[in-house]
Amino acid sequence: MRSPRRLLLLAASSLAICAALPVAVQAQQATPGAAAGVQPSDPWPQAASDVPAADDVRFGQLPNGLRYAIMKNASPPGQASVRVLIDAGSLMEREDQLGLAHFMEHMAFNGSTEVPEGDLTKRLERLGLAFGADTNASTGFDATIYQLDLPRTDDATVDESLFILRQMLGEALLETSAIDRERGIVLSEERTRATPGLRALVAQLEFLMPGQLVPQRLPIGSTSVLSNAPRERFVEFYEAYYRPERATVVIVGDFDVDSMESKVVSTFGDWTNSHAGGAEPDLGAVRTRGREAGLYVEAGLTPSIQIAWVGAPDQRPDTQAKRQENVRRALGLAVLNRRLGVIGRGARPPFIGANAGRSNLFDSVLLANVSANYDGDAWQPALAAIEQETRRIAQFGVTQAELDREITEMRTGLTNAVEGASTRRTPALANAIVGTTSEELVFSSPATDLATFEAAVAGLTVEDVNAMLKSTFTGGGPLVFMSGPTAVEGGEGALLAALAASEAVAVTAPEAAEAVAWDYAEFGPAGTVVERTVVEDVGATFVTFANGVRLTVKPTDYRDEQILVSVRVGQGLLGLPTDRPLPVLALGSVFAEGGLGRLTAQQLEEVLTGKTYRAGLSAGEDAFVLSGGTKPADLDVQMQVLAAYVTDAAWRPEPFERTRAQFRAALPTLEATTQGVFAREATSRLRPGDARYAFPSLENVAAWSIDDLKAAVAPALASGPIEIVIVGDVDVDAAIASVASTFGALPPRSAASQPSAEQLSARFPAGTAQPLDFKHGGRPDQALGFVAWPAVDNFTDVREARVVRLLADVLRLRLIEELREGQAVTYSPNVGAQASGNFAGYGYVSAAIEAPPEKLEGFFADVDRIAASLGTDPITEDELERARRPRVEALRRSRATNEFWISELSEAQTDPARLPALRSAESDLEAITAAEVQAAAAKYLIPATAYRITVTPRAAAAAAE
């Protein structure tokens, strides 16, 4: 079925084939989708389109109907990503199967004719695939996707992985005992997802799509069916929809395409299914709609309101004409969204944020909508603002200047994609091919996308875009839907009355924006390099300028046209007082939005239209970090922007007030979920006496001021030490010159002052014999248990910290074996090790689960027992390797990214332990023994030091009273 995968507001070569391959496959290479034999449920989209498919992807179809797409890509080298798309999801379920499409995803991992139950994940772990990160699956309304990210592409790894997938998809046993054991795990997922936001989404879908199937088929399904469905219901769904003609295998990676194609043919070519195929669902017709309103109220919701128009879904195939039409509409919507952004950036804005869009939902409805989040009870100003701005653009259209800007921005993004096409990341490519296939779109090359865009804008006029906009916000409606934590007096009638009142207000044409110029290209005479050193084994160049600014440059070939920049200034959280919470948590959404002294954030974006740059500031533990991302042609602009923010940040109050409103809206929602309450309560309790890590309260937010934030950060920006790291597709001399003319030209920087003893101190809380219990306002069957043991920091003994992290991995395997596979208490225990890089002696190992309240006592007992056994009983070599291999492979994979190096090279010039630790990371992991892990368990996993927390339902406590 046609399957656009957008859920509102939530969550594809021409190389010759060897003669040994079947004739049907060879024929498919010449004519996609035309192989003899069983036809796929959907042919390749390019079979009915004039959009050319990417010529570096080999598309094929086997005689049994299975489709495949294979692409060679060596970024990162030596790795591959495998995806299998099953063209079936929750929409295919009957009433007595609600939730079984997702349940089947679980059961595919739970035993087949040649892979016993419980063995599949272990076999993949031995190959270096981590459960969850590299081995996963997802179920949506119209598709189920299985994914494996392979750390290597040798025959053993590929053959084993494809064999396992073939077993999952065509040979699952679906034994009653295994189904019964898995019920608790699936119900755990249902509990975790059962949030106010999900319930509001269901209400929204029911309002927008009454009488249609989508609102009745959320993938999580019915708890009654999940708890009671007999094996026959599973078998019926599996036989009907797990079929080769409904399967698409996508493999992208560093391998020979002919060889991989041969493996796909030999592995999946014998897959047959003699049972009758499943029917396509009746999605229901779009009802005729007029002016209607809907309202959903529940505590824990972020207030939001939207105006929508609905119509019959657009079922036209993916063609050049349709894509060009979409470009023109997207340009008009971009103007509208920019206008909404300007309103939101103003003083006393009527909403916190707003957005407009148009999408085809699951082949069920064509939806155009404009929505906003608002502060408190201010829904009427928010509704009026989005209604009037939408009407303004429909009535007066866009200006030539606005259209030109959006064309430039869109062209820049598409051009950047063309320039970086040869180093696209393998997992992202695999996901993109699966995504376009599921949505029945042609997987086209970036060059084709750019050419389509240029054809769409050639000769494009304002009148063309305006005509497209006028037809966008039309159809059944307007429909007003509001969700939030408080009821509205007058209910739906009040919403319609407010809409009518807004419609009665005349709108005028927008005023033209004032022209501005970039005024931050000069910072003084270029700085002088006083020291330059090359670290050969790391491939980095260390530079020191006369004013004290330090620069580290590492050229890489991981991503064409990508340069990452990090500017570390001052001491970050280390330099802040410990006795009161300051609003540094708001820094990321306030600082860059405050703009520069001579340019607002809006003006900065306008004057730099077409340039590739980023600017964001965060409060790190030991520095304030300005982050950037650019390409070689725009490196100078990027460094100018960052230097301008360091020297002339404006600290305008409007974004601070908008962020304060966001906090006011978000903080109450924490009360409704176990995770929200845990985050709020545990953060400060794991760092007792240190308000720098405390979660803010509404009272804190009310007392915050922009002056407090400026006082905490501005002195560091003005005079603190500066360290810059530049990684990516960069020339070393060009990077040095760019920094010399910006940061190197600044006045001399002072040396870093030392934090006080109090600022450097940290302690883990004393152990708790009984858990600290906190209450949440959600469902009575939702609860959370958490336990943590004090461990080591990350710098006193780096190797010991690595042993502890491996210990946490072994503990996770044990808990999965017990709590998931054995007891089916929870979907997956969350186990990890935290180790500070700045506070001596501070670190911990933790384990947490989501479970019904009555299961928490057993969780703590099981954790205590398993933790004790790790310290007394030998850890098997197989267990150690299943923990070690995914961690080693994850390290190797991350080393082939710019993101890894931008992080690891921070402080490399000033911390003498930094490079040795970087060099020894893999060898340390490979050398750690089972005896060392056992010794670490005995040393750190001590019951008396364990700090325990529970989050349990307030509703259950009230009922008990």
Side-chain angles (χ1 to χ4, degrees):
M1 65 180 294
R2 187 180 305 276
S3 52
R5 302 181 57 78
R6 303 178 184 88
L7 181 57
L8 16 120
L9 306 180
L10 229 20
S13 128
S14 59
L15 295 176
I17 308 172
C18 61
L21 295 181
V23 173
V25 177
Q26 297 184 47
Q28 173 63 15
Q29 292 307 120
T31 309
V38 179
Q39 291 299 305
S41 58
D42 287 319
W44 285 112
Q46 55 264 36
S49 174
D50 58 352
V51 178
D55 60 8
D56 51 357
V57 180
R58 179 173 296 182
F59 298 93
Q61 179 199 335
L62 300 181
N64 61 7
L66 179 140
R67 298 182 302 180
Y68 60 86
I70 304 174
M71 180 181 187
K72 179 175 178 61
N73 188 67
S75 180
Q79 299 172 31
S81 290
V82 184
R83 306 288 186 264
V84 179
L85 168 70
I86 298 295
D87 185 21
S90 59
L91 289 174
M92 283 71 176
E93 296 165 349
R94 303 190 311 249
E95 288 292 330
D96 59 355
Q97 293 176 322
L98 298 182
L100 296 197
H102 170 243
F103 206 142
M104 267 307 316
E105 169 208 310
H106 282 245
M107 293 311 302
F109 287 88
N110 272 290
S112 63
T113 56
E114 297 186 50
V115 181
E117 181 188 1
D119 197 36
L120 186 152
T121 300
K122 294 177 182 179
R123 292 171 72 156
L124 293 172
E125 286 168 346
R126 295 179 187 117
L127 295 176
L129 281 74
F131 176 75
D134 307 314
T135 305
N136 217 326
S138 63
T139 304
F141 285 94
D142 49 22
T144 304
I145 300 170
Y146 295 87
Q147 76 172 57
L148 297 178
D149 288 323
L150 311 184
R152 296 176 305 281
T153 56
D154 58 286
D155 287 342
T157 301
V158 173
D159 292 348
E160 174 79 341
S161 300
L162 295 182
F163 166 76
I164 286 173
L165 285 169
R166 170 67 178 84
Q167 286 284 301
M168 294 168 64
L169 302 175
E171 307 295 334
L173 293 176
L174 306 178
E175 294 180 336
T176 298
S177 59
I179 291 171
D180 290 341
R181 280 190 293 271
E182 195 72 14
R183 294 187 197 273
I185 297 170
V186 178
L187 289 168
S188 172
E189 280 197 80
E190 189 278 334
R191 285 193 305 271
T192 302
R193 298 179 186 182
T195 64
L198 180 64
R199 291 188 285 274
L201 172 66
V202 174
Q204 184 180 19
L205 290 173
E206 290 174 341
F207 173 69
L208 295 172
M209 308 171 67
Q212 293 189 270
L213 190 62
V214 168
Q216 313 305 319
R217 290 294 185 274
L218 261 67
I220 198 59
S222 157
T223 55
S224 176
V225 172
L226 297 177
S227 300
N228 302 301
R231 177 179 184 271
E232 288 75 16
R233 300 294 87 76
F234 292 82
V235 173
E236 289 163 1
F237 189 90
Y238 189 67
E239 292 175 346
Y241 294 105
Y242 275 65
R243 318 176 59 83
E245 66 269 26
R246 282 190 173 270
T248 303
V249 176
V250 175
I251 310 178
V252 181
D254 192 5
F255 47 70
D256 177 78
V257 172
D258 289 339
S259 175
M260 186 62 72
E261 184 176 41
S262 178
K263 291 179 184 295
V264 170
V265 172
S266 62
T267 303
F268 294 97
D270 64 347
W271 180 12
T272 60
N273 185 334
S274 61
H275 302 277
E280 295 293 346
D282 180 358
L283 300 176
V286 179
R287 289 185 181 175
T288 300
R289 308 292 292 275
R291 300 172 66 86
E292 301 175 35
L295 178 62
Y296 182 81
V297 178
E298 182 179 347
L301 286 174
T302 299
S304 68
I305 194 162
Q306 77 167 213
I307 309 171
W309 295 261
V310 296
D314 183 355
Q315 296 183 320
R316 295 174 297 167
D318 182 18
T319 63
Q320 290 283 14
K322 185 178 179 181
R323 288 191 175 198
Q324 292 175 27
E325 176 186 307
N326 289 339
V327 167
R328 294 190 288 271
R329 178 175 286 109
L331 289 167
L333 288 172
V335 173
L336 175 56
N337 281 314
R338 197 175 296 277
R339 290 183 184 178
L340 292 170
V342 171
I343 295 172
R345 281 169 157 168
R348 300 176 180 264
F351 47 68
I352 296 173
N355 184 73
R358 181 179 185 267
S359 56
N360 210 34
L361 296 180
F362 304 104
D363 222 22
S364 297
V365 65
L366 183 63
L367 174 75
N369 73 314
V370 56
S371 60
N373 292 329
Y374 56 89
D375 184 19
D377 295 323
W379 63 270
Q380 290 167 304
L383 176 63
I386 60 176
E387 186 279 322
Q388 291 169 27
E389 207 57 37
T390 304
R391 183 156 44 93
R392 188 191 320 276
I393 203 167
Q395 183 173 337
F396 296 101
V398 306
T399 67
Q400 188 65 55
E402 288 177 313
L403 178 58
D404 290 344
R405 178 179 179 183
E406 301 307 335
I407 289 175
T408 299
E409 289 283 13
M410 194 174 293
R411 177 182 286 123
T412 298
L414 292 167
T415 301
N416 289 347
V418 171
E419 293 172 344
S422 63
T423 53
R424 289 171 290 176
R425 304 294 292 179
T426 285
L429 278 168
N431 292 337
I433 297 173
V434 167
T436 54
T437 300
S438 178
E439 295 183 12
E440 293 192 2
L441 301 175
V442 179
F443 181 73
S444 50
S445 70
T448 294
D449 298 341
L450 178 58
T452 300
F453 169 80
E454 295 295 358
V457 300
L460 183 66
T461 67
V462 167
E463 290 74 23
D464 295 330
V465 174
N466 292 341
M468 190 68 67
L469 279 170
K470 285 182 180 295
S471 67
T472 295
F473 299 104
T474 59
L479 308 174
V480 181
F481 183 82
M482 176 180 168
S483 62
T486 57
V488 173
E489 185 177 351
E492 290 86 352
L495 299 182
L496 291 176
L499 177 65
S502 177
E503 291 171 332
V505 176
V507 295
T508 59
E511 296 181 2
E514 179 184 353
V516 292
W518 180 237
D519 195 23
Y520 290 91
E522 300 293 334
F523 295 86
T528 303
V529 174
V530 296
E531 186 177 357
R532 176 171 174 167
T533 305
V534 177
V535 185
E536 296 289 352
D537 66 322
V538 176
T541 299
F542 292 169
V543 177
T544 303
F545 291 90
N547 64 351
V549 170
R550 297 179 185 272
L551 168 66
T552 299
V553 186
K554 178 178 173 60
T556 72
D557 57 4
Y558 307 137
R559 295 290 301 273
D560 289 345
E561 297 293 307
Q562 183 194 69
I563 300 174
L564 301 183
V565 182
S566 170
V567 180
R568 294 166 54 86
V569 185
Q571 297 176 329
L573 296 181
L574 281 180
L576 300 182
T578 63
D579 61 345
R580 61 189 185 279
L582 292 173
V584 291
L585 193 60
L587 192 58
S589 56
V590 170
F591 181 75
E593 277 292 295
L596 305 173
R598 300 188 294 276
L599 292 171
T600 67
Q602 184 71 28
Q603 290 171 328
L604 189 150
E605 292 175 0
E606 291 171 4
V607 74
L608 295 181
T609 295
K611 299 296 183 182
T612 301
Y613 70 97
R614 283 203 318 263
L617 184 66
S618 61
E621 198 167 69
D622 56 359
F624 296 109
V625 183
L626 269 164
S627 300
T630 187
K631 60 181 182 179
D634 291 337
L635 178 60
D636 287 346
V637 168
Q638 174 69 84
M639 301 313 299
Q640 290 166 12
V641 169
L642 296 178
Y645 269 110
V646 167
T647 59
D648 195 29
W651 299 100
R652 291 183 175 87
E654 291 85 1
F656 184 83
E657 293 306 321
R658 184 167 67 249
T659 301
R660 194 209 298 266
Q662 291 170 340
F663 273 96
R664 285 195 298 262
L667 285 172
T669 69
L670 301 177
E671 180 71 16
T673 65
T674 59
Q675 291 289 348
V677 172
F678 178 79
R680 184 187 67 198
E681 301 295 341
T683 307
S684 60
R685 286 172 172 79
L686 292 174
R687 306 291 294 253
D690 194 340
R692 293 173 295 185
Y693 294 89
F695 212 85
S697 66
L698 284 172
E699 292 75 17
N700 294 143
V701 173
W704 282 353
S705 74
I706 187 67
D707 292 335
D708 292 334
L709 185 58
K710 182 177 179 180
V713 180
L717 297 179
S719 61
I722 294 177
E723 178 209 35
I724 303 169
V725 182
I726 301 178
V727 174
D729 187 6
V730 62
D731 175 80
V732 173
D733 290 334
I736 293 173
S738 189
V739 173
S741 66
T742 52
F743 289 93
L746 302 182
R749 290 272 159 163
S750 60
S753 60
Q754 287 301 308
S756 68
E758 182 183 13
Q759 290 171 320
L760 280 172
S761 66
R763 63 182 178 86
F764 192 81
T768 54
Q770 293 298 318
L772 280 74
D773 184 55
F774 303 100
K775 297 301 180 183
H776 69 84
R779 279 186 359 190
D781 62 343
Q782 295 173 325
L784 178 149
F786 172 87
V787 59
W789 303 263
V792 294
D793 60 56
N794 199 40
F795 58 92
T796 301
D797 187 337
V798 174
R799 194 177 192 282
E800 178 79 350
R802 290 167 177 160
V803 174
V804 170
R805 281 194 284 273
L806 204 52
L807 166 63
D809 294 337
V810 174
L811 175 61
R812 181 173 184 266
L813 293 179
R814 293 270 181 100
L815 289 175
I816 288 175
E817 187 78 21
E818 176 67 29
L819 300 175
R820 178 187 169 101
E821 304 300 336
Q823 301 180 25
V825 169
T826 190
Y827 173 67
S828 181
N830 187 350
V831 183
Q834 307 294 323
S836 173
N838 297 286
F839 296 97
Y842 187 84
Y844 58 89
V845 176
S846 66
I849 68 163
E850 179 283 331
E854 65 272 15
K855 298 290 187 179
L856 294 186
E857 184 176 353
F859 161 69
F860 287 113
D862 289 332
V863 169
D864 285 347
R865 174 177 52 80
I866 291 171
S869 71
L870 284 172
T872 58
D873 302 335
I875 295 167
T876 68
E877 285 301 319
D878 179 68
E879 196 171 31
L880 180 63
E881 281 303 295
R882 289 194 291 114
R884 187 204 321 267
R885 289 269 63 82
R887 184 165 288 277
V888 170
E889 296 300 344
L891 175 61
R892 290 173 177 168
R893 182 184 299 125
S894 64
R895 282 180 176 271
T897 66
N898 293 326
E899 290 79 5
F900 173 87
W901 291 101
I902 200 79
S903 172
E904 292 300 314
L905 290 176
S906 295
E907 300 183 278
Q909 295 191 51
T910 55
D911 182 355
R914 191 72 172 179
L915 290 182
L918 175 63
R919 295 179 177 116
S920 65
E922 186 174 333
S923 60
D924 275 359
L925 282 172
E926 293 286 12
I928 292 172
T929 65
E932 287 181 283
V933 176
Q934 183 179 353
K939 181 178 181 180
Y940 298 111
L941 304 186
I942 302 171
T945 67
Y947 187 76
R948 299 172 173 88
I949 291 175
T950 57
V951 181
T952 56
R954 184 177 295 109
E961 293 175 0

